[in-house]
Amino acid sequence: MTIFGTNFEIIPLILLVLFAASFVYMAVHYSIYYLRVGLYDANKPNPSPHNNAKPTVSVVLMAKNAEKQLTDNLTYLLEQNYPNLEVVVVDYTSLDNTQYVLRLFKSNYPESLKIVRFDEDVNQYKGKKFPLSIGIQSAKNDIILLTEIDCVPKSFNWVEKIVAPFGNPKTKIVLGYCGLENSNTLTNALEQYENLSHSARMFGSAMMRHPYCGVGRNMAYRRDFFFEKNGFIQHYNIPYGDDDLFVNKNASKTNTAICLDNEAFMTTNAPKTFGQWTDQRRKTYSTIKHYRSSDKTRLLLENLAIALFYLCGILLYVIKPQPILGIVLLGTLAVKTAWQITCAVKASRRLNIKTYISALSPLFEIYFLFANTFLHLSTLRHKNGNGSNS
């Protein structure tokens, strides 16, 4: 068979088909995730019926040996411009001055702050699902808004913006965005790209009416829905995934909304060292095997398409080193790279991520192809390992 002036045998032909299919798959992937998020209009009116009444909200978070984070960040939660708001802090077996810092805040915000204190570790499971569940049970309001103690809202309208989608009575879950503080290190650049790609995939999937995960630094449930679905009970024995596993099991095309209003964004400190970041990724990555089969397959296909694109392109040219074929392969790589960067730039601007991260996205994509494969093998080897979120 002759293609591009080259006679192809069966193996080169198969490689060419796989190369073309992976190119199409990735082009569609960049469009439906990165570009869709980049084009999201936070000010566009929602056509669904809305109730203008503001629901009552309880912000719930866990603290353990967190006196500094509480001192620095708790005020931003307590001073939100929102009526009928309480902040529930679960102080779980802290050994530093956390309880005294909380008492000081309580004296200044007696009506807004609720403290749930555990002096002894009564958690039969690893992780923070149990402490968070106790905090949610202690909350009195209709909407449970989750965050973490090292997170800071972008504005004092955070609560108002993030819970606005609950004006639609069908909405049970709202997914929000949390960005990372910037620093001029390679590790931070990798962290920023990973956050960009994960966020684009998360929000893009939800916009396609297939929500599959969330981020516990910025997400909300209806309290009655959380208990109707038995909360974290099914996943108590899994140390991590207090955010994404509940969403993966219970989110649907009709009950989940997203909020990408800039005022609804959160920011958190990124891990300082490569080792800390890798350890955090290993914990997060260990929950993927508990996702729905369709979601695991979709994530696998994404990595497979990247691998096939580069591998098949290289093998094709090695087997058939024809000038015209080389031009076609390089041209396809150029189109793929240009479209990837274009879509990534759109998404990074929507999510307030530095543009240079998007410009380097083709290189980061290759790095994470190998890094994620290694991480997956590592989590398989350590599937019975210990650890906890704090």
Side-chain angles (χ1 to χ4, degrees), residues 49-96:
H50 276 62
N51 179 359
N52 292 325
K54 292 184 178 180
T56 58
V57 178
S58 294
V59 178
V60 180
L61 62 157
M62 191 191 89
K64 183 173 182 178
N65 299 326
E67 58 177 296
K68 183 181 186 307
Q69 294 97 323
L70 286 167
T71 302
D72 292 342
N73 302 335
L74 190 55
T75 301
Y76 293 100
L77 306 181
L78 292 165
E79 288 290 337
Q80 287 290 305
N81 298 323
Y82 196 85
N84 300 318
L85 174 69
E86 72 167 352
V87 177
V88 180
V89 180
V90 182
D91 176 14
Y92 201 81
T93 66
S94 295
L95 299 177
D96 62 357

Side-chain angles (χ1 to χ4, degrees), residues 263-379:
E263 290 191 288
F265 288 179
M266 274 281 185
T267 303
T268 189
N269 294 320
K272 301 298 183 184
T273 68
F274 186 84
Q276 292 173 344
W277 175 53
T278 301
D279 184 58
Q280 183 185 80
R281 293 184 68 233
R282 183 177 291 112
K283 294 175 181 178
T284 302
Y285 211 81
S286 66
T287 66
I288 293 178
K289 60 178 176 285
H290 302 288
Y291 281 8
R292 294 173 299 212
S293 296
S294 60
D295 298 318
K296 289 188 289 186
T297 300
R298 191 156 47 91
L299 294 173
L300 176 63
L301 286 176
E302 178 186 336
N303 287 325
L304 184 61
I306 299 169
L308 286 176
F309 178 80
Y310 289 104
L311 180 61
C312 292
I314 293 171
L315 289 177
L316 265 173
Y317 192 71
V318 169
I319 294 173
K320 293 286 185 180
Q322 303 293 333
I324 185 65
L325 178 61
I327 292 173
V328 170
L329 294 176
L330 288 176
T332 305
L333 175 61
V335 171
K336 178 260 183 193
T337 301
W339 184 239
Q340 178 180 6
I341 292 175
T342 299
C343 296
V345 166
K346 288 285 188 180
S348 63
R349 287 175 177 168
R350 178 86 281 276
L351 300 176
N352 295 334
I353 296 174
K354 297 292 185 181
T355 305
Y356 82 90
I357 300 295
S358 302
L360 295 173
S361 59
L363 297 177
F364 289 149
E365 181 184 70
I366 296 173
Y367 166 81
F368 277 102
L369 174 64
F370 292 98
N372 289 343
T373 300
F374 174 80
L375 199 62
H376 178 66
L377 295 175
S378 175
T379 55

Side-chain angles (χ1 to χ4, degrees), residues 16 36 51 53 89 102 112-113 124 145 158 169 173 184 187 196 243 254 259 266 273 285 295 297 325 344 351 362 364:
L16 181 62
R36 185 184 291 262
N51 179 359
V89 180
L102 286 172
S112 303
L113 178 62
Q124 303 178 55
L145 177 51
W158 166 60
I173 302 172
N184 296 320
T187 296
L196 170 64
D243 43 15
T254 58
C259 181
M266 274 281 185
T273 68
Y285 211 81
D295 298 318
T297 300
L325 178 61
L351 300 176
F364 289 149

Side-chain angles (χ1 to χ4, degrees), residues 210-231:
H210 187 87
Y212 78 99
C213 73
V215 175
R217 298 185 181 104
N218 195 9
M219 65 186 303
Y221 313 125
R222 291 191 189 274
R223 187 176 184 274
D224 56 357
F225 175 78
F226 179 81
F227 289 113
E228 174 190 331
K229 299 299 182 180
N230 295 317

